Amino acid sequence: MSSSEAAFRRGWYLLKTKVREELRAQEHLENQNFEVYCPLVKEKGKPAPLFAGYLFIRLDSKDLPYYHKIRSTRGVAEFVRFNRIAHRLHQQGRLPTNDQCILLPCPIPDGDQLIEQIELFAMKHGATVPADKPDTSAFSEGEAVLYDNPLFRHLETTFLKGVNMNRGLILIEFIESQRTDESVEKRVVAKKTLEVPLKDLHKVHE
């Protein structure tokens, strides 16, 4: 793991969008497989962004190679930075120039809890949870689920628990098959737990 990957903390980040282009930016970011949230409330009977000109985006170290694409996405203006002083010093040449992590923004403190509170507020003011975004009550502990991800789409996984309104913890077991004269024996060779978006989980028997 590089120093940049180590410094790139998982969490929710804040994006500034162009005027009245919140939903456009969200659509284009989601088309690039980023996890984005634009809280909506009803305004004069129509859905409208709760925070005009802003979006939330959840990033992990796996997103670092694609980080440069975010600012050039249609509708996106810039990241909202909580480390502007370090960024300014870097631009002035007063900090090392070979460390990319200095240029990275910082995640929102306690971002998961903040997003959950915003979702609760939005639902109280007319927002609804989309049909393709079930809450944790849609899954039971120990239930077999499918994770809609190219790397794991062929594997049956187990739902462990909900993390918040957006995400849950699943267990993935990697199984090795060995054929004998009379049957095929299967054994678990590795296990991995992942925190994933609930919208990417599907029940095995629906």
Side-chain angles (χ1 to χ4, degrees):
M1 179 181 293
S2 68
S3 60
S4 293
E5 291 174 323
F8 194 59
R9 288 179 285 163
R10 181 179 66 181
W12 287 98
Y13 291 74
L14 188 61
L15 287 178
K16 177 71 174 172
T17 69
K18 296 178 181 178
V19 179
R20 291 187 293 276
E21 293 196 12
E22 301 91 351
L23 297 182
R24 183 185 190 187
Q26 179 181 21
E27 179 183 1
H28 286 285
L29 287 167
E30 289 178 341
N31 287 340
Q32 298 175 67
N33 295 318
F34 289 110
E35 183 178 353
V36 186
Y37 177 47
C38 178
L40 301 174
V41 295
K42 282 188 177 179
E43 187 175 285
K44 297 181 180 180
K46 297 181 180 180
L50 177 60
F51 304 109
Y54 293 95
L55 281 180
F56 298 96
I57 183 169
R58 197 175 197 279
L59 300 175
D60 202 341
S61 57
K62 64 179 176 57
D63 298 307
L64 185 57
Y66 314 102
Y67 167 79
H68 66 282
K69 295 183 178 180
I70 297 174
R71 284 191 59 186
S72 59
T73 297
R74 291 183 179 181
V76 175
E78 62 178 347
F79 272 94
V80 176
R81 297 183 177 276
F82 300 99
N83 58 344
R84 287 187 177 276
I85 294 178
H87 191 257
R88 189 178 303 115
L89 291 174
H90 179 273
Q91 291 180 320
Q92 295 173 354
R94 296 165 64 183
L95 289 177
T97 58
N98 59 350
D99 193 351
Q100 183 183 356
C101 67
I102 295 174
L103 298 175
L104 299 176
C106 294
I108 300 169
D110 300 319
D112 284 332
Q113 292 84 349
L114 176 63
I115 293 298
E116 186 169 3
Q117 291 172 3
I118 291 173
E119 282 199 323
L120 288 171
F121 177 87
M123 283 191 290
K124 289 179 181 179
H125 291 77
T128 58
V129 177
D132 63 347
K133 185 183 178 184
D135 61 25
T136 54
S137 64
F139 304 101
S140 302
E141 182 179 342
E143 181 178 13
V145 293
L146 296 175
Y147 176 31
D148 189 12
N149 180 289
L151 295 177
F152 306 106
R153 194 171 291 154
H154 63 290
L155 297 175
E156 185 173 306
T157 67
T158 303
F159 184 78
L160 297 179
K161 64 177 183 178
V163 177
N164 53 40
M165 292 180 66
N166 298 300
R167 307 181 70 79
L169 200 65
I170 62 172
L171 172 66
I172 299 176
E173 294 182 331
F174 298 90
I175 299 175
E176 181 180 81
S177 299
Q178 185 174 359
R179 183 176 296 278
T180 64
D181 293 336
E182 299 180 354
S183 63
V184 176
E185 297 181 355
K186 297 182 178 181
R187 65 186 184 94
V188 178
V189 295
K191 295 182 179 182
K192 183 179 181 65
T193 57
L194 286 179
E195 184 183 314
V196 300
L198 290 174
K199 66 181 180 62
D200 292 342
L201 294 181
H202 308 279
K203 292 176 180 288
V204 173
H205 306 291
E206 290 188 313

